[in-house]
Amino acid sequence: MKNTTELTRREKDTLEAITLFLNQNQYPPSIKEIAAMIDVSSTSTVSRFLVSLEHKGYIERVGSKSRSMRVLQHAS
């Protein structure tokens, strides 16, 4: 799915954090790790960002499995 919708600043921060973590560790970050990287205290906020990134076609997640995401396209 190709994106035609712009990312918010926080969505872009989230996507960049995921990409950086993947590049450094070769596996995706947990929701708590993402929260720490983008400096938010609520994991539900991170979950909302992930749902939005998935709907916009930037990431793909497999069910509710932990660390089951992959980046489909990078923020521009």
Side-chain angles (χ1 to χ4, degrees), residues 26-59:
Q26 304 305 308
Y27 60 89
S30 69
I31 290 177
K32 286 182 180 182
E33 289 166 332
I34 296 169
M37 289 186 286
I38 64 171
D39 199 30
V40 298
S41 57
S42 170
T43 56
S44 65
T45 299
V46 173
S47 292
R48 278 198 328 266
F49 293 152
L50 294 176
V51 167
S52 181
L53 288 169
E54 188 172 22
H55 284 228
K56 291 179 179 182
Y58 282 92
I59 65 170

Side-chain angles (χ1 to χ4, degrees), residues 5-34:
T5 307
E6 290 292 319
L7 295 178
T8 66
R9 181 183 61 82
R10 298 303 277 164
E11 290 168 346
K12 187 174 180 178
D13 291 346
T14 303
L15 183 59
E16 289 173 350
I18 293 166
T19 301
L20 178 65
F21 189 96
L22 274 166
N23 288 339
Q24 291 176 344
N25 299 287
Q26 304 305 308
Y27 60 89
S30 69
I31 290 177
K32 286 182 180 182
E33 289 166 332
I34 296 169

